[in-house]
Amino acid sequence: MEKKYKVRGGRGPGKSVWMLCVCVPAIYVTYITQGIVQENVSTTRYGEKQQRFEHLAFLNFAQNVVCFLSSLLMLHIWPNLKKETQAPIVAFWSASISHAIGTGWGITALKYISYPAQVLAKSSKLIPVMFTGAIVYGVHYTIPEYLCTFLITGGVSIFSLLKNHEKVVSKVASPNQLFGFALCFLNLGFDGFTHATQDAITKRYPKTNAVHIMMCMNMWSSIYMGIFMLGWPGGGGWAAIKFVCEHPKAAWDITLFCLCGVVGQNFIFLIISHFGSLVTNIITTTRKFVSILISSLWNGNPLSFQQWASVVMVFTGLSYHIYLKWKQKAPHGHGGSKTPTYANEHKEDDGSQFVAQLRSRNSSTL
C-alpha cells in the first residue's frame, strides 16, 4: 500500500509556507548576485597587463572547498545539527560526481552556444529530474504533477526563446552548435541523476539536515574537482592559483563568488531536505524567468502577446503546484491527492543496504 509523501521534517502547512517565503527570495537574490559577480570575474581585466581570468572551472572548485569548510564550521558551532540520524557520507559520492561532471559540461557548452540558448535548453531541467527519479529510483508522480511541470517548462522555454530569439539563432548557426547542445543536454541528464539521488537519500533519511547534505556534497565535489584541477595535466588549477596570487582583486572577487555560494547552498539544501528536488528545481528554473520579467517591466520594455501567454503558463503551473502541495498537507479526512512515493520504501537503516542499492544502480547508470 502506497504511503503518502509528506513535507520532510514534520512541518505543518503554515511553517512550510513561511519557509518558502523566506528561502525563495533568498535564493533569487543570492544567485542573481553570484551571476553578476561571475560575469565580473570573467570580463574584468586585472593588473597592469590587463589580463582576464580564464579558468572559470576553478570558480566551482573554489566554491566547493569554501562551502565544505563553511558547513564543517556550522556543524562545529551548532552541534545540535548532528544529534539526529544523518545519511552516511558515502551515500553522496555518486550525486557529487554526476554534479561535478554535469557542471563541467555545462560550462564547456558555453563555448559553442550562447548563454540565452543554454538558458532555453536548461529551462527543461524539470523533465529529466522527474524522469530520472521515476526510472532509476521508482518515484511515482501523479498526472497533475506532470502537467504542472510541462506548463512551467513550456512557459519558461517560450518566454526565453521569444526574449532572446536573435541571439539564439545567431549562435545556433555556428558549426559546432550541435556539439554545444549535446553537452548541454548531457548536463541536464546528469543534473537529473544528481537531484533524483539526493531525493532518494533524503527520503530514506528524512532527518538529514541541510548543513549535513551541504557538507557531504561539497566534500566529494572538492575531491573530484581537486583531482582534475590540480592533478590532471591541463586542469588549470595551478595556473588559476598563480593568477589569484598575482592579482589580489581577482582573489576578492572569487571570495565574494564563493560566499554567495555558501549562502545560496544553505537555502537550496534546506529546500531539498524539506520539500525535495522537484520543488528546488522549480525555484531555480523560474529564477531567470522572474528576473527577466521584472527587468522588462521595470525598464518599460513591452511584452508581446506570446510572452504574456507564456507568463500565464508559468504562473498557472506554479499556482497549481502550490495547490497540490497544500492539498497533500491537508488533514487526511478532507481528502488529498496521490503524491510521489518511492518504490520499495523501507525504514531507516545504518546505511549499508541503501549504499549497496546506490552502487548497483550507479554501475548500470553511469
Coordinates of all heavy atoms in Angstrom, one line a residue, residues 32-117:
I32 N 21.3 35.6 -8.2 CA 21.4 36.7 -9.2 C 22.7 37.5 -8.9 O 23.4 37.9 -9.8 CB 20.2 37.6 -9.1 CG1 19.0 36.9 -9.7 CG2 20.4 39.0 -9.8 CD1 17.7 37.7 -9.5
T33 N 23.0 37.7 -7.6 CA 24.2 38.4 -7.2 C 25.4 37.6 -7.6 O 26.4 38.2 -8.2 CB 24.3 38.6 -5.7 OG1 23.1 39.4 -5.2 CG2 25.5 39.4 -5.3
Q34 N 25.4 36.3 -7.4 CA 26.5 35.5 -7.8 C 26.7 35.5 -9.3 O 27.9 35.5 -9.8 CB 26.3 34.0 -7.4 CG 27.6 33.2 -7.5 CD 27.3 31.7 -7.2 OE1 26.4 31.1 -7.6 NE2 28.2 31.2 -6.3
G35 N 25.6 35.5 -10.1 CA 25.8 35.6 -11.5 C 26.5 36.9 -12.0 O 27.3 36.9 -12.9
I36 N 26.1 38.0 -11.3 CA 26.8 39.3 -11.6 C 28.3 39.3 -11.2 O 29.1 39.7 -12.0 CB 26.1 40.4 -10.8 CG1 24.6 40.6 -11.3 CG2 26.8 41.8 -10.9 CD1 23.8 41.6 -10.4
V37 N 28.6 38.7 -10.1 CA 30.0 38.5 -9.7 C 30.7 37.6 -10.7 O 31.9 38.0 -11.1 CB 30.1 38.0 -8.3 CG1 31.5 37.7 -7.9 CG2 29.5 38.9 -7.3
Q38 N 30.1 36.5 -11.1 CA 30.8 35.6 -12.1 C 31.1 36.4 -13.4 O 32.1 36.2 -14.0 CB 29.9 34.4 -12.3 CG 30.6 33.4 -13.3 CD 29.8 32.2 -13.5 OE1 28.8 31.9 -12.8 NE2 30.2 31.3 -14.4
E39 N 30.1 37.1 -13.9 CA 30.3 37.9 -15.1 C 31.4 38.9 -14.9 O 32.2 39.1 -15.8 CB 29.0 38.6 -15.5 CG 29.1 39.4 -16.8 CD 27.8 40.0 -17.2 OE1 26.8 39.9 -16.5 OE2 27.8 40.6 -18.3
N40 N 31.5 39.5 -13.7 CA 32.5 40.5 -13.4 C 33.9 39.8 -13.4 O 34.9 40.4 -14.0 CB 32.3 41.1 -12.1 CG 33.3 42.2 -11.8 OD1 33.5 43.1 -12.6 ND2 33.9 42.2 -10.6
V41 N 34.0 38.6 -12.9 CA 35.3 37.9 -12.8 C 35.7 37.5 -14.2 O 36.9 37.6 -14.6 CB 35.1 36.6 -12.0 CG1 36.4 35.7 -12.1 CG2 34.9 37.0 -10.5
S42 N 34.8 37.1 -15.1 CA 35.2 36.6 -16.4 C 35.4 37.8 -17.4 O 36.1 37.6 -18.4 CB 34.1 35.8 -17.0 OG 32.8 36.5 -17.1
T43 N 35.0 39.0 -17.1 CA 35.2 40.1 -18.1 C 36.2 41.1 -17.6 O 36.7 41.9 -18.4 CB 33.8 40.8 -18.3 OG1 33.2 41.3 -17.1 CG2 32.8 39.8 -19.0
T44 N 36.4 41.2 -16.3 CA 37.4 42.3 -15.8 C 38.8 42.0 -16.2 O 39.2 40.8 -16.3 CB 37.3 42.3 -14.3 OG1 36.0 42.6 -13.8 CG2 38.3 43.4 -13.7
R45 N 39.5 43.0 -16.6 CA 40.9 42.9 -16.9 C 41.7 43.3 -15.7 O 41.6 44.4 -15.2 CB 41.3 43.7 -18.1 CG 40.6 43.3 -19.4 CD 41.1 44.0 -20.6 NE 40.4 43.6 -21.8 CZ 40.8 42.5 -22.6 NH1 41.9 41.9 -22.2 NH2 40.2 42.2 -23.7
Y46 N 42.5 42.4 -15.2 CA 43.2 42.6 -13.9 C 44.7 43.0 -14.2 O 45.3 42.5 -15.1 CB 43.2 41.3 -13.1 CG 41.8 40.9 -12.6 CD1 41.1 39.9 -13.3 CD2 41.2 41.5 -11.5 CE1 39.8 39.5 -12.9 CE2 39.9 41.1 -11.1 CZ 39.3 40.1 -11.8 OH 38.0 39.8 -11.4
G47 N 45.2 43.8 -13.3 CA 46.6 44.1 -13.3 C 47.1 45.1 -14.4 O 46.3 45.5 -15.2
E48 N 48.4 45.3 -14.4 CA 48.9 46.3 -15.4 C 48.8 45.7 -16.8 O 48.7 46.4 -17.8 CB 50.4 46.6 -15.0 CG 50.5 47.3 -13.7 CD 52.0 47.6 -13.4 OE1 52.9 47.1 -14.2 OE2 52.3 48.3 -12.4
K49 N 48.9 44.3 -16.9 CA 48.9 43.7 -18.2 C 47.5 43.5 -18.7 O 47.3 43.0 -19.8 CB 49.6 42.3 -18.1 CG 51.1 42.5 -17.8 CD 51.7 41.1 -17.8 CE 53.2 41.2 -17.5 NZ 53.9 39.8 -17.5
Q50 N 46.5 43.9 -17.9 CA 45.1 43.8 -18.3 C 44.7 42.4 -18.7 O 44.1 42.1 -19.8 CB 44.8 44.8 -19.5 CG 45.0 46.3 -19.1 CD 43.9 46.7 -18.1 OE1 42.7 46.8 -18.4 NE2 44.3 47.0 -16.9
Q51 N 45.0 41.4 -17.8 CA 44.7 40.0 -18.1 C 43.4 39.6 -17.6 O 42.9 40.1 -16.5 CB 45.8 39.2 -17.5 CG 47.2 39.3 -18.0 CD 48.2 38.5 -17.3 OE1 48.3 38.6 -16.1 NE2 49.0 37.7 -18.0
R52 N 42.7 38.7 -18.3 CA 41.4 38.2 -17.9 C 41.6 36.9 -17.2 O 42.6 36.1 -17.5 CB 40.5 38.0 -19.1 CG 39.9 39.3 -19.6 CD 38.9 39.0 -20.7 NE 38.3 40.2 -21.2 CZ 37.5 40.3 -22.2 NH1 37.1 39.2 -22.9 NH2 36.9 41.4 -22.6
F53 N 40.7 36.6 -16.2 CA 40.7 35.3 -15.5 C 40.0 34.3 -16.4 O 38.8 34.4 -16.6 CB 40.1 35.4 -14.2 CG 40.1 34.2 -13.4 CD1 41.2 33.8 -12.7 CD2 39.0 33.3 -13.3 CE1 41.3 32.6 -11.9 CE2 39.0 32.2 -12.5 CZ 40.2 31.8 -11.8
E54 N 40.7 33.3 -17.0 CA 40.1 32.4 -18.0 C 39.8 31.0 -17.4 O 39.3 30.2 -18.2 CB 41.1 32.3 -19.2 CG 41.3 33.6 -19.9 CD 42.3 33.5 -21.1 OE1 42.9 32.4 -21.2 OE2 42.4 34.5 -21.8
H55 N 40.1 30.8 -16.2 CA 39.9 29.5 -15.6 C 38.6 29.4 -14.8 O 38.6 29.3 -13.6 CB 41.1 29.1 -14.7 CG 42.4 29.4 -15.3 ND1 43.0 28.6 -16.2 CD2 43.3 30.5 -15.1 CE1 44.2 29.1 -16.6 NE2 44.4 30.3 -15.9
L56 N 37.5 29.5 -15.6 CA 36.2 29.5 -14.9 C 35.8 28.3 -14.1 O 35.0 28.3 -13.2 CB 35.1 29.9 -16.0 CG 35.3 31.2 -16.7 CD1 34.1 31.4 -17.6 CD2 35.3 32.4 -15.7
A57 N 36.3 27.1 -14.6 CA 36.0 25.9 -13.8 C 36.6 26.0 -12.4 O 36.1 25.3 -11.5 CB 36.6 24.7 -14.5
F58 N 37.6 26.8 -12.2 CA 38.2 26.9 -10.9 C 37.3 27.6 -9.9 O 37.3 27.4 -8.7 CB 39.5 27.8 -11.0 CG 40.2 28.0 -9.7 CD1 41.1 27.0 -9.2 CD2 40.1 29.1 -8.9 CE1 41.7 27.1 -8.0 CE2 40.8 29.3 -7.7 CZ 41.6 28.3 -7.2
L59 N 36.3 28.4 -10.4 CA 35.3 29.0 -9.6 C 34.5 28.0 -8.8 O 34.2 28.1 -7.7 CB 34.4 29.9 -10.4 CG 35.0 31.2 -11.0 CD1 34.0 31.9 -11.8 CD2 35.6 32.1 -9.9
N60 N 34.1 26.9 -9.6 CA 33.3 25.8 -8.9 C 34.1 25.1 -7.9 O 33.6 24.7 -6.9 CB 32.8 24.9 -10.0 CG 31.7 25.5 -10.8 OD1 30.7 26.1 -10.3 ND2 31.8 25.4 -12.1
F61 N 35.4 24.8 -8.2 CA 36.3 24.1 -7.3 C 36.5 24.9 -6.0 O 36.3 24.4 -4.9 CB 37.6 23.9 -8.0 CG 38.7 23.3 -7.0 CD1 38.4 22.1 -6.3 CD2 39.9 23.9 -6.9 CE1 39.4 21.6 -5.4 CE2 40.9 23.4 -6.0 CZ 40.6 22.3 -5.3
A62 N 36.7 26.3 -6.2 CA 36.9 27.1 -5.0 C 35.6 27.2 -4.2 O 35.6 27.1 -3.0 CB 37.3 28.5 -5.5
Q63 N 34.5 27.3 -4.9 CA 33.2 27.3 -4.2 C 32.9 26.0 -3.4 O 32.4 26.0 -2.3 CB 32.0 27.5 -5.2 CG 30.7 27.5 -4.6 CD 29.6 27.7 -5.6 OE1 28.9 28.8 -5.6 NE2 29.3 26.8 -6.5
N64 N 33.3 24.8 -4.0 CA 33.1 23.6 -3.3 C 33.9 23.5 -2.0 O 33.4 23.1 -1.0 CB 33.5 22.4 -4.2 CG 32.6 22.2 -5.4 OD1 31.4 22.5 -5.3 ND2 33.1 21.7 -6.5
V65 N 35.2 24.0 -2.1 CA 36.1 24.0 -0.9 C 35.5 24.9 0.2 O 35.5 24.5 1.3 CB 37.5 24.3 -1.3 CG1 38.4 24.5 -0.1 CG2 38.1 23.3 -2.3
V66 N 35.2 26.1 -0.2 CA 34.7 27.1 0.8 C 33.4 26.6 1.4 O 33.2 26.7 2.6 CB 34.5 28.5 0.1 CG1 33.8 29.5 1.1 CG2 35.9 29.0 -0.3
C67 N 32.5 26.1 0.6 CA 31.2 25.6 1.1 C 31.4 24.4 2.0 O 30.7 24.2 3.1 CB 30.3 25.2 0.0 SG 29.6 26.6 -0.9
F68 N 32.4 23.5 1.7 CA 32.7 22.4 2.6 C 33.2 22.8 3.9 O 32.7 22.4 5.0 CB 33.7 21.5 1.9 CG 34.2 20.4 2.8 CD1 33.4 19.4 3.3 CD2 35.6 20.4 3.1 CE1 34.0 18.4 4.1 CE2 36.1 19.4 3.9 CZ 35.3 18.4 4.5
L69 N 34.2 23.8 3.9 CA 34.7 24.3 5.1 C 33.7 25.0 6.0 O 33.6 24.9 7.2 CB 35.9 25.2 4.8 CG 37.1 24.5 4.2 CD1 38.2 25.5 3.8 CD2 37.7 23.4 5.1
S70 N 32.8 25.8 5.3 CA 31.8 26.5 6.0 C 30.8 25.6 6.7 O 30.3 25.8 7.8 CB 31.0 27.4 5.0 OG 31.9 28.4 4.4
S71 N 30.4 24.5 6.0 CA 29.5 23.5 6.6 C 30.1 22.8 7.8 O 29.4 22.6 8.8 CB 29.0 22.5 5.5 OG 30.1 21.8 5.0
L72 N 31.4 22.5 7.7 CA 32.1 21.9 8.8 C 32.1 22.9 10.0 O 31.8 22.5 11.2 CB 33.5 21.6 8.5 CG 33.8 20.3 7.7 CD1 35.3 20.1 7.4 CD2 33.2 19.1 8.4
L73 N 32.3 24.2 9.8 CA 32.3 25.2 10.8 C 30.9 25.3 11.5 O 30.8 25.3 12.7 CB 32.7 26.5 10.2 CG 32.8 27.7 11.2 CD1 33.8 27.4 12.4 CD2 33.1 29.0 10.5
M74 N 29.9 25.2 10.6 CA 28.5 25.3 11.1 C 28.1 24.1 12.0 O 27.5 24.2 13.0 CB 27.5 25.5 10.0 CG 27.5 26.9 9.4 SD 26.2 27.1 8.1 CE 27.0 26.3 6.7
L75 N 28.6 22.9 11.6 CA 28.3 21.7 12.4 C 29.1 21.8 13.7 O 28.6 21.2 14.7 CB 28.7 20.5 11.6 CG 27.8 20.1 10.4 CD1 28.5 19.0 9.5 CD2 26.4 19.7 10.8
H76 N 30.2 22.4 13.7 CA 31.0 22.6 14.9 C 30.4 23.6 15.9 O 30.3 23.4 17.1 CB 32.4 23.0 14.6 CG 33.3 23.1 15.8 ND1 33.7 22.1 16.6 CD2 33.8 24.3 16.4 CE1 34.5 22.6 17.6 NE2 34.5 23.9 17.5
I77 N 29.9 24.7 15.3 CA 29.3 25.7 16.1 C 27.9 25.3 16.7 O 27.6 25.6 17.8 CB 29.1 27.0 15.3 CG1 30.5 27.6 14.9 CG2 28.3 28.1 16.1 CD1 30.4 28.8 14.0
W78 N 27.2 24.6 15.9 CA 25.8 24.1 16.3 C 25.8 22.6 16.3 O 25.3 21.9 15.4 CB 24.7 24.6 15.3 CG 24.6 26.1 15.4 CD1 24.1 26.9 16.4 CD2 25.0 27.0 14.3 NE1 24.2 28.2 16.1 CE2 24.7 28.4 14.8 CE3 25.5 26.9 13.1 CZ2 24.9 29.5 14.0 CZ3 25.8 28.0 12.3 CH2 25.5 29.3 12.8
P79 N 26.4 22.0 17.4 CA 26.4 20.5 17.5 C 25.1 19.9 17.5 O 25.0 18.7 17.2 CB 27.2 20.3 18.8 CG 27.0 21.5 19.6 CD 26.9 22.6 18.6
N80 N 24.0 20.6 17.8 CA 22.7 20.0 17.8 C 22.3 19.5 16.4 O 21.4 18.6 16.3 CB 21.6 21.0 18.3 CG 21.7 21.3 19.7 OD1 22.2 20.5 20.5 ND2 21.2 22.5 20.2
L81 N 22.9 20.1 15.3 CA 22.6 19.6 14.0 C 23.0 18.2 13.7 O 22.5 17.5 12.8 CB 23.3 20.5 13.0 CG 22.9 22.0 12.9 CD1 23.8 22.8 12.0 CD2 21.4 22.1 12.4
K82 N 23.9 17.6 14.6 CA 24.4 16.3 14.4 C 23.7 15.3 15.3 O 24.0 14.1 15.4 CB 25.9 16.2 14.7 CG 26.7 17.1 13.7 CD 28.2 16.9 14.0 CE 28.6 17.6 15.3 NZ 30.1 17.6 15.4
K83 N 22.7 15.7 16.1 CA 22.0 14.8 17.1 C 21.2 13.8 16.4 O 21.2 12.6 16.8 CB 21.2 15.7 18.0 CG 22.0 16.3 19.2 CD 21.0 16.9 20.2 CE 21.8 17.5 21.4 NZ 20.9 18.1 22.4
E84 N 20.4 14.2 15.4 CA 19.6 13.2 14.7 C 20.4 12.3 13.8 O 21.5 12.6 13.4 CB 18.5 14.0 13.8 CG 17.6 14.9 14.7 CD 16.6 14.2 15.5 OE1 16.5 13.0 15.4 OE2 16.0 14.9 16.3
T85 N 19.7 11.2 13.4 CA 20.4 10.2 12.5 C 20.5 10.9 11.1 O 19.5 11.3 10.5 CB 19.5 9.0 12.4 OG1 19.4 8.4 13.7 CG2 20.2 8.0 11.4
Q86 N 21.8 11.0 10.6 CA 22.0 11.6 9.3 C 22.4 10.5 8.3 O 22.8 9.4 8.6 CB 23.2 12.6 9.5 CG 23.0 13.6 10.5 CD 21.9 14.6 10.1 OE1 21.8 15.1 9.0 NE2 21.1 14.9 11.1
A87 N 22.2 10.9 7.0 CA 22.6 9.9 6.0 C 24.1 9.7 6.0 O 24.8 10.7 6.3 CB 22.1 10.5 4.6
P88 N 24.6 8.5 5.7 CA 26.0 8.3 5.6 C 26.7 9.1 4.5 O 26.1 9.3 3.5 CB 26.1 6.8 5.3 CG 24.8 6.4 4.7 CD 23.8 7.3 5.3
I89 N 27.9 9.5 4.8 CA 28.6 10.4 3.9 C 28.8 9.7 2.6 O 28.7 10.3 1.5 CB 30.0 10.8 4.5 CG1 29.7 11.7 5.7 CG2 30.8 11.6 3.5 CD1 31.0 12.1 6.5
V90 N 29.1 8.4 2.6 CA 29.4 7.7 1.4 C 28.2 7.6 0.4 O 28.4 7.4 -0.8 CB 29.9 6.2 1.7 CG1 28.7 5.4 2.3 CG2 30.5 5.5 0.5
A91 N 27.0 7.8 1.0 CA 25.8 7.8 0.1 C 25.8 8.9 -0.9 O 25.1 8.8 -1.9 CB 24.5 7.8 1.0
F92 N 26.6 10.0 -0.7 CA 26.5 11.1 -1.6 C 27.6 11.1 -2.7 O 27.6 12.0 -3.5 CB 26.7 12.4 -0.8 CG 25.5 12.7 0.1 CD1 25.5 12.2 1.4 CD2 24.5 13.5 -0.3 CE1 24.4 12.5 2.3 CE2 23.4 13.8 0.5 CZ 23.4 13.3 1.8
W93 N 28.4 10.1 -2.8 CA 29.5 10.1 -3.7 C 29.0 10.2 -5.1 O 29.6 10.9 -6.0 CB 30.4 8.9 -3.5 CG 29.9 7.6 -4.0 CD1 29.1 6.7 -3.4 CD2 30.0 7.1 -5.4 NE1 28.8 5.6 -4.2 CE2 29.4 5.9 -5.4 CE3 30.7 7.6 -6.5 CZ2 29.3 5.1 -6.6 CZ3 30.7 6.8 -7.7 CH2 30.0 5.6 -7.7
S94 N 28.0 9.4 -5.5 CA 27.5 9.4 -6.9 C 26.8 10.7 -7.3 O 27.0 11.2 -8.4 CB 26.6 8.2 -7.1 OG 25.5 8.3 -6.2
A95 N 26.0 11.2 -6.4 CA 25.4 12.5 -6.7 C 26.4 13.6 -6.9 O 26.2 14.5 -7.8 CB 24.4 12.9 -5.6
S96 N 27.5 13.5 -6.1 CA 28.5 14.6 -6.2 C 29.3 14.5 -7.5 O 29.6 15.5 -8.2 CB 29.5 14.5 -5.1 OG 28.8 14.7 -3.8
I97 N 29.6 13.2 -8.0 CA 30.4 13.1 -9.2 C 29.6 13.4 -10.4 O 30.0 14.0 -11.4 CB 31.0 11.7 -9.3 CG1 32.1 11.6 -10.4 CG2 29.9 10.6 -9.6 CD1 32.9 10.4 -10.4
S98 N 28.3 13.1 -10.4 CA 27.4 13.5 -11.5 C 27.2 15.0 -11.5 O 27.2 15.6 -12.6 CB 26.1 12.8 -11.4 OG 25.4 13.1 -10.2
H99 N 27.2 15.6 -10.4 CA 27.1 17.1 -10.3 C 28.3 17.7 -10.8 O 28.3 18.7 -11.6 CB 26.8 17.5 -8.9 CG 26.8 19.0 -8.7 ND1 25.8 19.8 -9.2 CD2 27.7 19.8 -8.1 CE1 26.1 21.1 -8.9 NE2 27.2 21.1 -8.2
A100 N 29.5 17.2 -10.5 CA 30.8 17.8 -10.9 C 30.9 17.6 -12.5 O 31.3 18.6 -13.1 CB 31.9 17.1 -10.2
I101 N 30.6 16.4 -13.0 CA 30.7 16.2 -14.4 C 29.7 17.1 -15.2 O 30.0 17.7 -16.2 CB 30.5 14.7 -14.8 CG1 31.6 13.9 -14.2 CG2 30.4 14.5 -16.3 CD1 31.4 12.4 -14.3
G102 N 28.4 17.1 -14.7 CA 27.4 17.9 -15.3 C 27.7 19.4 -15.4 O 27.5 20.1 -16.4
T103 N 28.3 19.9 -14.3 CA 28.6 21.3 -14.2 C 29.7 21.6 -15.2 O 29.7 22.7 -15.9 CB 29.1 21.7 -12.8 OG1 28.0 21.5 -11.9 CG2 29.5 23.2 -12.8
G104 N 30.7 20.7 -15.3 CA 31.8 20.9 -16.3 C 31.3 21.0 -17.7 O 31.8 21.8 -18.5
W105 N 30.4 20.1 -18.1 CA 29.9 20.1 -19.4 C 29.0 21.3 -19.7 O 29.0 21.8 -20.8 CB 29.1 18.8 -19.6 CG 29.9 17.6 -19.9 CD1 31.2 17.6 -20.3 CD2 29.6 16.2 -19.9 NE1 31.7 16.4 -20.5 CE2 30.7 15.5 -20.2 CE3 28.4 15.6 -19.5 CZ2 30.7 14.1 -20.3 CZ3 28.4 14.2 -19.6 CH2 29.5 13.5 -19.9
G106 N 28.3 21.8 -18.7 CA 27.5 23.0 -18.8 C 28.4 24.2 -19.1 O 28.1 25.0 -20.0
I107 N 29.6 24.3 -18.4 CA 30.5 25.4 -18.7 C 31.1 25.3 -20.1 O 31.2 26.3 -20.8 CB 31.6 25.4 -17.6 CG1 31.0 25.8 -16.2 CG2 32.7 26.4 -18.0 CD1 31.9 25.7 -15.1
T108 N 31.5 24.1 -20.5 CA 32.1 23.9 -21.8 C 31.1 24.2 -22.9 O 31.5 24.7 -24.0 CB 32.6 22.4 -21.9 OG1 33.5 22.1 -20.8 CG2 33.3 22.2 -23.2
A109 N 29.8 23.9 -22.7 CA 28.8 24.1 -23.7 C 28.8 25.6 -24.1 O 28.4 25.9 -25.3 CB 27.5 23.7 -23.2
L110 N 29.1 26.5 -23.2 CA 29.0 28.0 -23.5 C 30.0 28.4 -24.5 O 29.9 29.5 -25.1 CB 29.2 28.8 -22.2 CG 28.1 28.8 -21.2 CD1 28.5 29.5 -19.9 CD2 26.9 29.5 -21.8
K111 N 31.0 27.5 -24.8 CA 32.0 27.8 -25.9 C 31.4 27.7 -27.2 O 31.9 28.2 -28.2 CB 33.2 26.9 -25.8 CG 34.0 27.1 -24.5 CD 35.2 26.2 -24.5 CE 36.0 26.3 -23.2 NZ 37.2 25.4 -23.2
Y112 N 30.3 27.0 -27.3 CA 29.7 26.6 -28.6 C 28.3 27.2 -28.8 O 27.8 27.3 -30.0 CB 29.7 25.1 -28.8 CG 31.0 24.5 -28.6 CD1 31.3 23.8 -27.4 CD2 32.0 24.6 -29.6 CE1 32.5 23.2 -27.2 CE2 33.3 24.0 -29.4 CZ 33.5 23.3 -28.2 OH 34.7 22.8 -28.0
I113 N 27.6 27.5 -27.8 CA 26.2 28.1 -27.9 C 26.2 29.3 -27.0 O 26.9 29.4 -26.0 CB 25.1 27.1 -27.5 CG1 25.3 26.6 -26.1 CG2 25.1 25.9 -28.5 CD1 24.2 25.7 -25.6
S114 N 25.3 30.2 -27.3 CA 25.1 31.4 -26.5 C 24.5 31.1 -25.1 O 23.8 30.1 -24.9 CB 24.3 32.5 -27.2 OG 22.9 32.0 -27.3
Y115 N 24.7 32.0 -24.2 CA 24.1 31.9 -22.9 C 22.6 31.8 -23.0 O 21.9 31.0 -22.3 CB 24.6 33.0 -21.9 CG 24.0 32.9 -20.5 CD1 24.4 31.9 -19.7 CD2 23.0 33.8 -20.1 CE1 23.9 31.8 -18.4 CE2 22.4 33.7 -18.9 CZ 22.9 32.7 -18.0 OH 22.3 32.6 -16.7
P116 N 21.9 32.7 -23.8 CA 20.5 32.6 -23.9 C 20.0 31.3 -24.4 O 19.0 30.7 -24.0 CB 20.1 33.7 -24.9 CG 21.2 34.7 -24.7 CD 22.4 33.9 -24.4
A117 N 20.8 30.7 -25.4 CA 20.4 29.4 -25.9 C 20.5 28.3 -24.8 O 19.7 27.4 -24.8 CB 21.3 29.0 -27.1

